[in-house]
Amino acid sequence: DMSVLEYVLQGEKEEDRWILEPDAKTLLMTFELNDFNQPCGQLSGGQKKRAALAKTLLRPADILILDEPTNHLDTKMADWLEDYLRRYRGAMIMVTHDRYFLDQVTNRITELDHASLYSYETNYSGYLQKKAEREQNEDSAAAKRKNLLRTELEWLNRGARARSTKQKAHIQRIENLQEQRGPVRDRTVQLDSVASRLGKTTLEVEGLAGGYPGHECFHDFSYIFLKGDRIGIVGPNGCGKTTLMKILAGTIMPLRGTRTAGVTLKIGYYTQEIASDPSAGVAYMDPNKKVLDYIRDTAEYVRTPEGSVSASVMLDRFLFPPVVQQQLIKSLSGGEKKRLYLLRVLMEEPNFLILDEPANDLDIRTMEVLEDYLDRFEGIVVTVSHDRYFLDRCVRRMFAFEENHTLRQYEGGYSDYAAVKQAEEEEKQRAEREKEKKKQ
């Protein structure tokens, strides 16, 4: 029942509140929470996350701890936060899967790998290089140790007697070598590209308008999706991106316009949130169902380039070993549930993939494998994402929600789109300066 403004100022002394209130309101407006009196109970999950971020940034701190700060932030707000943190003078510790964000705001990466911490004085790009060097050195040391152990065992097998102290020490060294473990490597998600055949007619939309009566989020959107299309969609929070995804998927009707689907079209829709209502279909995940049964409900076997693969094998490739496959879904972490949900969508063998914020709750390793999968995927991909790296990596055409509730097309990935927008903004500012000069 607490208002958003009350929540942000919660815990502050009464005499400090009137000083901090203007800053609190500025932060809330920055995060597009303009109704300061709105009860927190009415906020969406993303709005709650942004309110929590405003509360965290309200007062200067010596150490700022951020857990996935860019989740639920659109690209404009992520850019703002990135700029804010670059200028931040205190220490900062964050967990994030946003690789561009890591590259821009960090100067040290600490990796937790099999109960060991590895620290690298660099940003994300440098970390990738230094980690590869570390693993190469570990593999080289393991190979040398293996060769030495083979030589020592040959000496032992020649019948050397453990009589002298020297011989006993030699045997002890061999035993020590045997006990040393080689470097442990994380298993990686394995994804084979699976898709149904796609005919000549795919999906065509004309004059689409979406929203609800009395409020149009967008209008006049027309496009013919072609085989091999890789489309990224960006826009501010609440502009109607998910509404557009639902219209494309055929789960809701547009306010106006037509949606024409080909006979062979098979859509796989990865939604932003896992539903708690069974009527949501594939988006619903029964917490009391076993992991294996959840996948088997979609398909017992799936066709891949290497042949027919069972649900159990696909789960194992997706880092769900047999022992986990028998566990109930409610025992999984949030990230594991999203990875399981992604597998179920892909097991349907879609030829038109709709991905709504796939980067939320998926770790970097899973995102890298998804990106490789999309490289080989022969169908159509449409994605809404705030992950700029993912958009640059996988998208070849962008649609951006503009201020007049229309969608504008840009060629290339996110960086190409951002460069065009920046050039237009610079030209606009130049024109305004020229206009001011003429007035003088």
Side-chain angles (χ1 to χ4, degrees):
D1 297 323
M2 185 182 288
S3 74
V4 177
L5 183 60
E6 286 174 333
Y7 164 72
V8 172
L9 293 170
Q10 187 183 21
E12 299 293 346
K13 294 178 182 178
E14 197 61 42
E15 58 268 26
D16 293 338
R17 284 187 168 228
W18 69 275
I19 300 173
L20 291 170
E21 188 170 315
D23 292 336
K25 288 180 177 178
T26 300
L27 275 171
L28 285 170
M29 286 191 291
T30 298
F31 291 118
E32 298 180 355
L33 296 167
N34 299 320
D35 185 355
F36 307 137
N37 297 315
Q38 185 177 7
C40 290
Q42 293 179 6
L43 299 179
S44 68
Q47 287 173 322
K48 287 177 182 174
K49 191 93 181 233
R50 300 201 299 274
L53 197 52
K55 181 178 176 66
T56 304
L57 301 179
L58 179 60
R59 270 191 178 275
D62 297 317
I63 301 177
L64 199 55
I65 301 176
L66 304 172
D67 193 352
E68 296 290 2
T70 60
N71 269 13
H72 303 290
L73 295 188
D74 58 39
T75 50
K76 178 184 174 183
M77 283 191 281
D79 286 340
W80 179 90
L81 184 60
E82 185 179 290
D83 183 59
Y84 176 90
L85 294 177
R86 270 203 303 263
R87 293 181 283 108
Y88 185 73
R89 294 189 176 186
M92 179 176 55
I93 305 168
M94 75 166 74
V95 171
T96 182
H97 64 264
D98 191 324
R99 290 159 284 184
Y100 275 172
F101 198 73
L102 275 173
D103 234 15
Q104 293 297 318
V105 304
T106 61
N107 54 24
R108 180 186 291 275
I109 301 286
T110 302
E111 178 188 22
L112 178 60
D113 185 15
H114 293 94
S116 294
L117 283 169
Y118 301 92
S119 189
Y120 308 86
E121 268 194 80
T122 180
N123 60 6
Y124 182 72
S125 299
Y127 149 75
L128 291 176
Q129 182 179 346
K130 289 180 181 293
K131 180 185 178 180
E133 291 170 359
R134 172 178 68 80
E135 290 184 342
Q136 188 175 4
N137 292 336
E138 287 176 347
D139 290 340
S140 178
K144 288 179 182 176
R145 186 169 61 250
K146 194 174 180 180
N147 290 334
L148 179 59
L149 180 59
R150 184 169 60 247
T151 302
E152 297 288 5
L153 287 172
E154 287 173 359
W155 171 83
L156 192 60
N157 291 333
R158 285 199 298 268
R161 302 290 180 187
R163 289 174 182 165
S164 69
T165 303
K166 188 175 182 181
Q167 286 171 324
K168 286 179 180 178
H170 199 158
I171 293 170
Q172 183 62 49
R173 282 204 308 275
I174 294 172
E175 290 175 348
N176 291 340
L177 280 170
Q178 287 177 315
E179 289 173 0
Q180 289 181 25
R181 295 179 179 270
V184 181
R185 296 285 180 259
D186 269 335
R187 293 178 63 208
T188 56
V189 179
Q190 296 179 20
L191 270 175
D192 290 308
S193 181
V194 289
S196 303
R197 186 186 68 82
L198 186 62
K200 288 184 178 179
T201 305
T202 58
L203 182 68
E204 180 176 348
V205 295
E206 187 172 356
L208 282 190
Y212 51 89
H215 178 74
E216 283 188 2
C217 296
F218 62 90
H219 56 83
D220 297 328
F221 177 58
S222 300
Y223 189 74
I224 300 173
F225 293 91
L226 302 175
K227 188 176 180 179
D229 262 351
R230 296 293 186 268
I231 308 292
I233 297 176
V234 294
N237 290 114
C239 67
K241 299 187 294 294
T242 296
T243 300
L244 175 59
M245 295 297 97
K246 289 179 178 179
I247 292 173
L248 295 180
T251 60
I252 64 172
M253 296 294 293
L255 293 176
R256 290 191 310 280
T258 59
R259 173 190 179 275
T260 307
V263 177
T264 60
L265 188 73
K266 192 171 183 180
I267 289 176
Y269 182 22
Y270 178 89
T271 62
Q272 190 173 160
E273 301 292 341
I274 295 172
S276 56
D277 182 1
S279 64
V282 70
Y284 173 65
M285 190 175 278
D286 185 349
N288 294 309
K289 180 165 283 190
K290 288 182 179 178
V291 170
L292 179 58
D293 292 338
Y294 173 73
I295 294 299
R296 277 179 171 166
D297 284 349
T298 299
E300 184 70 48
Y301 291 90
V302 65
R303 291 177 294 107
T304 73
E306 64 187 40
S308 184
V309 178
S310 71
S312 179
V313 171
M314 287 295 286
L315 276 165
D316 191 56
R317 291 179 176 184
F318 240 60
L319 308 187
F320 294 104
V323 65
V324 177
Q325 293 176 23
Q326 298 304 318
Q327 292 179 5
L328 298 181
I329 287 173
K330 64 184 178 184
S331 69
L332 302 179
S333 69
E336 287 172 327
K337 287 176 183 175
K338 293 303 284 281
R339 188 174 354 121
L340 182 65
Y341 173 44
L342 175 63
L343 174 59
R344 176 155 170 165
V345 171
L346 298 178
M347 287 284 286
E348 295 178 321
E349 300 183 35
N351 48 35
F352 191 116
L353 261 179
I354 298 176
L355 306 172
D356 194 352
E357 295 291 4
N360 281 4
D361 299 313
L362 291 183
D363 59 53
I364 289 175
R365 187 171 284 107
T366 305
M367 285 300 299
E368 288 170 344
V369 179
L370 175 59
E371 289 156 5
D372 290 338
Y373 173 90
L374 296 179
D375 286 343
R376 303 190 305 275
F377 184 68
E378 294 182 352
I380 298 165
V381 179
V382 179
T383 182
V384 167
S385 182
H386 66 266
D387 188 323
R388 297 158 293 176
Y389 184 97
F390 176 70
L391 290 173
D392 272 346
R393 174 74 172 74
C394 296
V395 163
R396 296 193 287 271
R397 177 169 292 154
M398 301 279 296
F399 282 99
F401 279 76
E402 304 284 312
E403 291 179 357
N404 57 359
H405 301 293
T406 60
L407 283 97
R408 179 181 168 190
Q409 181 176 320
Y410 298 82
E411 295 306 306
Y414 177 81
S415 294
D416 300 301
Y417 152 74
V420 171
K421 295 299 287 184
Q422 184 177 352
E424 288 178 351
E425 182 61 29
E426 289 173 355
E427 177 59 29
K428 182 181 175 182
Q429 291 175 359
R430 187 193 65 78
E432 286 176 355
R433 287 195 299 269
E434 290 293 325
K435 192 175 180 180
E436 287 297 319
K437 283 182 181 177
K438 288 179 179 178
K439 282 183 180 180
Q440 294 172 1

